[in-house]
Structures are given as C-alpha cells and as structure tokens.
Amino acid sequence: MARLMGGSAGFHVQGAHMQASRPPSLSFRTCAQLEISRFCAIPRFMGVKAVSASQQHIRHRFSSIRASALPCMQDDTTRYFDFVVIGSGVAGLRYALEVSKHGSVAIITKAEPHESNTNYAQGGVSAVLCPKDSVESHMQDTIVAGAYLCDEETVRIVCTEGPERVKELIAMGASFDHGEDGRLHLAREGGHSHNRIVHSADMTGKEIERALLQAVENDENISVFGHHFAIDLLTCQNNGEIFCYGVDSLDTKAQKVVRFISKVTLLASGGAGHIYPTTTNPPVATGDGIAMCHRAQAVISNMEFVQFHPTALSDEGLPIKPAKIRDNAFLVTEAVRGDGGILYNQSMERFMPLYDDRAELAPRDVVARSIDDQLKKRGEKYVLLDISHKPREKILAHFPNIAAECLRHGLDITQQPIPVVPAAHYMCGGVRAGLQGETSVKGLYVAGEVACTGLHGANRLASNSLLEALVFAQRAVQPSIDHMVDADADPCLAEKWARPVLSVSIKDSALSDIIERTKKTRMELQSIMWEYVGIVRSTNRLKNAEWKIGDLESEWEEFLFRRGWKPASVGIEACEMRNLFCCAKLVVKSALARRESRGLHFTEDFPYLEESKRKPTVIFPTAIQELTWSSKPLQRQLQCK
C-alpha cells in the first residue's frame, strides 16, 4: 500500500485504487466510488447545489451572522464575514468582486495586495478571440501540452468560457495591446497552434492586477487585510463530512493572531515555487494553501507535475551581476520564443531542432528538459536566447520590461542574446477541485494555481493559468452564494477552537536562533528538491529525497522545541517552513507513485509514457497523521453539533 507522510493514504495511480484507512467519524465513501477515468467527477460527490436564492433572502441571511456574532466578540482578534478570500491574485480578486454583490467579503493576503504570482505573469491570457481560431483548436493544444492527462470536460469549459472572461476584464478597465488595425494584438507562445495570447506588452499580470485592485478599492463591501498570513483552516466534522468556517491568520504588522469566521472560504493562495532554490515565483509562494488543505483533510492531486519555466534570466551570464541574490528569478516570457527567439548553447549552436520538430515552440516540459540536457552534457550553467535578429523597435515595444532589466545589468537584448536557465514556475497539481471550484471540504472553494481542476493535466499550456483562474473564480460564485445562504453557522463557534499563540515567551536570543536555523533549513530543503526532485528524476533519487527531507524535518522540529517552541506557537518563518516541508513531501510521494514519464514528470527508470497509466494521482485524507508539526493543524478539529 502506498503510504503518504507516515500514514495510510489512498492513491489513484495507474488505474489502481489503494484504499486508505479513515477515521470512523469521517466517511469518504463517495470518494472511494469516484470513477478514476473521469478526473473531474468531483461534482458527483461534492453535492453542490445549483439552485439560486432570491436577492431578498440573500440580504437577510448574510447580515445575520454579523448581528448574532456581536455578543460573542471579545476584541478585534475575531472578525466575521460572509465570504473570506485567501489570496489577492487574479482568482481571489475576481471572485471577491462578484460575491461582494451578495455579502461582506474579507480578502486576506500575505504581503501587499499586489504581491502575487499574477503580478509577475508576463505573457498574457490565452483565449479564442480570432475568427481563424477555434475552441476545438485551443482544446487540442491544451490536451497535447498536458500529455493527454487533462480532463476534457474541464478543458472545454475553460476554452469556451474564457473569451467572455477576457472581455469582462477589458470592460473593467484592463488595457491590452492592440495592433495597427485597432484590434487586440494576439501573440503566440509555445504549444499554441494559433495567435491567441491577449497581452499588455510583457507585463500582462501587472496590468490585470492593477485593474482588479482598483475595482476592489472602489467596492465598499470588500475589506482587504494586507500582511495577514493564513495559518490553518478552521474545520469541524459533522455526519461524516468536513466543514470549513474560516481561517486563523497572523497579522505580521500588529503581531497578533486574527481569526476570520465566514460562511464560505475561497482559497486562491497560489503555488509552492519556493520548495526549489530558483523560482520565478515571488517570496510569498510557499505552498501555504496546499499545505493548509492537506492538514484539513482535503483531497490533493497531481503534485508530481511541477512546471519548470525554460527561460528564467541567468544572473551568472549577465555582464554586470546583480548586487544581491534575487528573492525570485526574473522571468523571460514564453512570448520571446513565440515571437521568433532562438535558443543556442554557449558555442552559438542551435539545439532545439535536435530534440523536437517544433523546436523553440515545443511545450515547456520539452524545452526545459532539452536545456537541462544541454547544460549537463556541456558542463555549462546557462544557455542563450536570441531575439536580436528582430527589428529593434518591435523588440522594445513587445518586451520593454525584459529589455530594461537586462540593460540595467549591461546587456542590450536588441544586440545580444539573453542568458537563460530553467526555474521552478508553476504547480500543475494542488487541491482537487470540481467543475465549480468546490473541494471535498464543505464551504471551501479553490481557484488559481492552488487548485487542481484537471485543465493542465501533466503540463500547463502557456498562458492558460490566468485563463483558468478567471474561469474558475467565476464558476465558484453561484455555489458559494447558495452555500452562504443555507449556512447556519453558530457565531460563538469562533471561541471553541484553541487559538495559536505568538512566541512571546521565547527569549530573544532563542528566537533569533530559531529564525536563523529555519533559514538554513529552508535552503537545505530547496537544495534537496533541486538535486533529487528536479527536471529529470529517478526512483533512487526520489527515495533519497524522501529520506533526507524526513531527517531534515525531524532535526528542525527538535531544534525548535528544544529552544522553547510550543505546538501552538506561530511565527511566519516557522509556519512557512512547515508548509514547504508539507508540499515537498507531497511532490516526492506523488512522483514515486507515478511509474511512467508523462509531461513534467520524467523519470529515468520509467522513461516512456504508458497509456494504461494515464490516470491522475489522487491523495485522499488519512486517519493517521505523521507525527510531525508540519503535518497537523495547530488547532484540534471540532465535532459540529
């Protein structure tokens, strides 16, 4: 039996279901009945309602929790909202703007509201907006890039509904590039058969984030809580099902724990790029949402599929090195290759045609492995991406951000090739979601990179991520409203969970030691993941990673508790570290379970794709949690009355 994190775990891998042990009070019988050949069968076991309530009923019900909660409120450490959104990227903001028409909304975000993966997205949003293009073509490109592991129904929904979501962004004030004919300029990227990428130069994510944040600021029903780190979901069990009633957070500015109680929670917290030492993700991407959901016993899927972007800027190859090590690698968008950029090794030999007939326009997994192979064979640390053969004015118009960043370091991309190297970029796996963003936890919805909807399969097609986030943020709205209207939460439930505590009792010297040790441990974990769970894997290296990560986690936790840390203690460095450990172990376990090479998961021991193993990896909740601090919620799960 496959085992996950020291406990029994149910895996759907290679067509076989290995049954998990489960607590008597938590029945996942309907999960066990899931037809594995249908990746997104979740709507059949989530029980999501499709019936809308009247606006009058909604207004009456959404005010009740705040009114009845007042006698239970002791101070400002407990806040009550109808909807809580965790994350301020495109998925969280778009969802918040829709549900705010029906109730009060809190957006809690780890840093400044704009600091999200969305803000760093350069390429754009893929959508069928040209008469020569078609939904069927977009679907086919998505499925081919996803190594035929995509769920076809999900793909059709996203490709069909995507154009309308893009038009809504434009109506809200998002400004995208237009051609000389006045129409939207549609770029092309690797894996796409048509020009269909809507973009704003090479800063599309920043423009979308700007437009959405402006709309949020103008919405009086939305409250934004910056610098609030989500610690753990607040859950309870009732009649064999788990319900979510909000989240505990750490206000890192005021240094206090704030509890958010809500009828509906949307998790849009992004990915886990920082389990690797080099990633295009901002520092906030430490897998908090995936780890929280795993601890809350939500279903997790396809964690082995980590996408490495083929072309992150290699600082080592720049004429003028950056003054300090970057928090995250600078992304060189896929659109550079889509616009005619050519990859060379350092001897200026073009190599992509040796690996794939599509050359530089092959999907990301192919290009990343090809670059990795070149680097290893030649003993070099970067390759070169050349766009200088294009007209100078067009390069500067299409890629002003990349040109400016390179010029700051002495490199003119209109004259010289760009040094690039693969970097961890996107999690294709995550919290398993149904067709309306629902999870196996009632009242909890997911959208964006934290979710595994079935769209990406084994490898994400370029610029499909923002599209997926927009589509699923919208699809989660109506079921969320229905759940909010029917939810009868006891407002005094907020005081029944034990609260996390700040480590104020720990001496300053001990706390400094803990922070320093945690920083060192984080770097060691990232090094293990890059060395053993990188672009090319093997069973032996994965098992080594499993062993090394387990030892590293044990040593780190023992150090914390020796220095005065308590099981309920919280601090952002330690909480991020436990989430990184949780996500790293999920990736390793899922990778060991897949005994074939498909998409982003390539293993030397099983180098071929096998049709019989074209199944998602599904990790069901487990009764026996591994006895580590990283694997358990800080507060005990309640039995709902």
Side-chain angles (χ1 to χ4, degrees):
M1 177 183 291
R3 298 180 65 80
L4 176 66
M5 295 169 57
S8 301
F11 277 88
H12 274 171
V13 185
Q14 307 156 15
H17 177 222
M18 290 162 272
Q19 184 67 32
S21 301
R22 300 185 182 90
S25 58
L26 177 61
S27 171
F28 273 81
R29 182 185 69 257
T30 46
C31 289
Q33 294 168 350
L34 185 66
E35 181 188 352
I36 194 60
S37 62
R38 290 275 306 119
F39 179 82
C40 274
I42 285 186
R44 294 204 290 272
F45 73 84
M46 294 301 180
V48 175
K49 293 194 173 183
V51 181
S52 302
S54 69
Q55 287 289 334
Q56 184 178 2
H57 188 201
I58 290 170
R59 292 194 191 98
H60 171 73
R61 295 296 295 275
F62 84 66
S63 61
S64 63
I65 187 169
R66 294 194 300 281
S68 59
L70 291 176
C72 298
M73 291 183 69
Q74 301 297 319
D75 51 41
D76 65 350
T77 60
T78 304
R79 299 183 181 273
Y80 296 83
F81 288 87
D82 296 302
F83 304 93
V84 164
V85 177
I86 303 171
S88 58
V90 60
L93 296 179
R94 192 67 191 89
Y95 172 90
L97 287 165
E98 290 300 314
V99 296
S100 69
K101 301 168 186 175
H102 305 274
S104 60
V105 185
I107 298 175
I108 71 172
T109 187
K110 192 170 173 179
E112 293 295 326
H114 67 268
E115 186 68 1
S116 66
N117 278 350
T118 296
N119 202 48
Y120 290 81
Q122 292 180 354
V125 188
S126 60
V128 178
L129 294 167
C130 174
K132 295 179 181 178
D133 198 0
S134 68
V135 168
E136 288 70 25
S137 177
H138 192 182
M139 287 182 62
Q140 181 66 14
D141 292 346
T142 298
I143 291 168
V144 169
Y148 297 90
L149 194 64
C150 309
D151 176 72
E152 188 172 340
E153 186 175 4
T154 303
V155 175
R156 181 172 295 280
I157 285 170
V158 172
C159 294
T160 302
E161 298 180 7
E164 189 61 32
R165 303 289 84 83
V166 172
K167 292 173 185 176
E168 289 168 356
L169 280 181
I170 296 171
M172 293 174 63
S175 178
F176 299 117
D177 289 354
H178 289 71
E180 295 177 358
D181 59 0
R183 298 179 181 178
L184 282 171
H185 182 270
L186 302 176
R188 184 178 174 188
E189 297 180 354
H192 289 273
S193 58
H194 291 78
N195 288 42
R196 63 167 71 99
I197 314 300
V198 180
H199 62 99
S200 179
D202 58 351
M203 295 174 284
T204 309
K206 186 172 289 187
E207 172 58 18
I208 293 173
E209 187 81 1
R210 180 204 62 76
L212 291 175
L213 282 172
Q214 183 63 55
V216 164
E217 187 178 340
N218 295 333
D219 193 319
E220 61 182 16
N221 228 15
I222 300 176
S223 302
V224 180
F225 297 86
H227 299 279
H228 278 62
F229 173 81
I231 300 167
D232 267 320
L233 298 170
L234 300 170
T235 60
C236 67
Q237 294 185 27
N238 185 28
N239 294 328
E241 292 185 306
I242 300 177
F243 291 78
C244 180
Y245 287 101
V247 65
D248 275 337
S249 73
L250 174 60
D251 181 342
T252 55
K253 289 284 190 183
Q255 281 299 299
K256 64 181 179 183
V257 173
V258 180
R259 176 161 288 174
F260 288 85
I261 298 295
S262 65
K263 291 184 176 180
V264 177
T265 302
L266 176 87
L267 192 60
S269 56
H274 280 271
I275 59 176
Y276 290 95
T278 304
T279 176
T280 61
N281 293 182
V284 294
T286 52
D288 309 317
I290 295 170
M292 282 193 300
C293 283
H294 181 62
R295 290 193 290 267
Q297 300 191 61
V299 179
I300 310 293
S301 189
N302 284 359
M303 287 293 288
E304 68 269 36
F305 299 120
V306 181
Q307 186 176 78
F308 290 83
H309 198 288
T311 57
L313 185 64
S314 171
D315 290 343
E316 188 157 346
L318 292 171
I320 302 172
K321 307 294 186 290
K324 62 176 184 177
I325 298 174
R326 300 177 194 263
D327 290 328
N328 50 286
F330 184 84
L331 177 66
V332 178
T333 174
E334 187 102 4
V336 174
R337 285 183 287 118
D339 210 33
I342 298 173
L343 284 164
Y344 298 96
N345 57 35
Q346 290 184 36
S347 297
M348 291 307 292
E349 298 167 341
R350 187 181 183 188
F351 58 84
M352 275 310 302
L354 302 175
Y355 295 94
D356 195 285
D357 291 340
R358 293 164 291 184
E360 282 78 11
L361 290 179
R364 289 178 178 179
D365 60 323
V366 175
V367 181
R369 278 197 300 276
S370 302
I371 293 174
D372 183 68
D373 187 58
Q374 283 285 305
L375 296 179
K376 287 174 178 174
K377 282 180 176 177
R378 297 175 57 85
E380 295 172 349
K381 295 188 176 179
Y382 58 87
V383 297
L384 299 167
L385 176 60
D386 190 21
I387 191 71
S388 64
H389 52 280
K390 291 289 183 176
R392 176 184 175 85
E393 62 276 10
K394 288 191 175 181
I395 295 172
L396 297 179
H398 291 175
F399 311 113
N401 190 38
I402 296 169
E405 179 64 22
C406 288
L407 200 58
R408 272 194 289 272
H409 299 287
L411 190 145
D412 181 355
I413 70 170
T414 68
Q415 301 292 325
Q416 301 162 278
I418 307 165
V420 293
V421 67
H425 183 60
Y426 191 89
M427 302 294 296
C428 289
V431 184
R432 184 163 171 164
L435 295 176
Q436 294 175 301
E438 71 276 24
T439 71
S440 55
V441 176
K442 301 294 183 182
L444 177 66
Y445 298 82
V446 288
E449 190 175 351
V450 72
C452 183
T453 65
L455 174 68
H456 305 310
N459 176 43
R460 176 174 69 88
L461 180 66
S463 289
N464 264 2
S465 53
L466 292 175
L467 182 74
E468 179 199 39
L470 288 166
V471 169
F472 274 87
Q474 180 64 45
R475 291 185 70 81
V477 169
Q478 191 57 56
S480 296
I481 295 166
D482 295 340
H483 185 90
M484 184 272 291
V485 169
D486 290 338
D488 284 315
D490 174 6
C492 292
L493 189 68
E495 301 310 314
K496 295 182 181 179
W497 287 283
R499 290 180 182 257
V501 295
L502 295 170
S503 304
V504 292
S505 60
I506 300 177
K507 294 179 181 178
D508 288 345
S509 59
L511 196 56
S512 295
D513 289 346
I514 287 171
I515 292 172
E516 190 59 34
R517 178 61 178 265
T518 300
K519 182 179 178 181
K520 180 174 179 288
T521 300
R522 181 166 171 160
M523 293 173 66
E524 289 177 2
L525 174 66
Q526 292 170 334
S527 178
I528 292 168
M529 290 298 290
W530 180 251
E531 178 69 23
Y532 298 98
V533 200
I535 296 172
V536 176
R537 302 162 177 174
S538 72
T539 302
N540 187 53
R541 287 204 295 274
L542 289 171
K543 287 182 177 178
N544 270 325
E546 186 176 46
W547 171 71
K548 287 176 180 291
I549 291 170
D551 278 359
L552 184 64
E553 182 183 32
S554 297
E555 290 168 5
W556 174 69
E557 291 186 359
E558 286 172 11
F559 180 86
L560 259 63
F561 293 120
R562 270 202 320 271
R563 301 294 283 160
W565 200 262
K566 305 296 181 187
S569 296
V570 291
I572 189 165
E573 295 89 358
C575 287
E576 280 188 335
M577 190 69 246
R578 75 183 190 130
N579 292 337
L580 289 166
F581 269 125
C582 180
C583 290
K585 291 187 292 186
L586 289 171
V587 171
V588 173
K589 290 292 186 182
S590 297
L592 279 168
R594 183 167 293 281
R595 298 168 72 84
E596 66 162 348
S597 289
R598 184 179 294 273
L600 298 164
H601 174 71
F602 183 86
T603 171
E604 294 171 332
D605 296 301
F606 306 98
Y608 303 109
L609 185 149
E610 296 190 28
E611 178 60 24
S612 64
K613 295 174 182 175
R614 184 163 61 91
K615 311 291 180 185
T617 308
V618 180
I619 304 170
F620 286 112
T622 175
I624 306 170
Q625 290 287 352
E626 185 181 6
L627 298 179
T628 70
W629 187 56
S630 304
S631 305
K632 298 177 292 185
L634 297 188
Q635 72 281 343
R636 181 176 57 86
Q637 190 176 78
L638 300 179
Q639 292 289 334
C640 302
K641 300 290 184 174

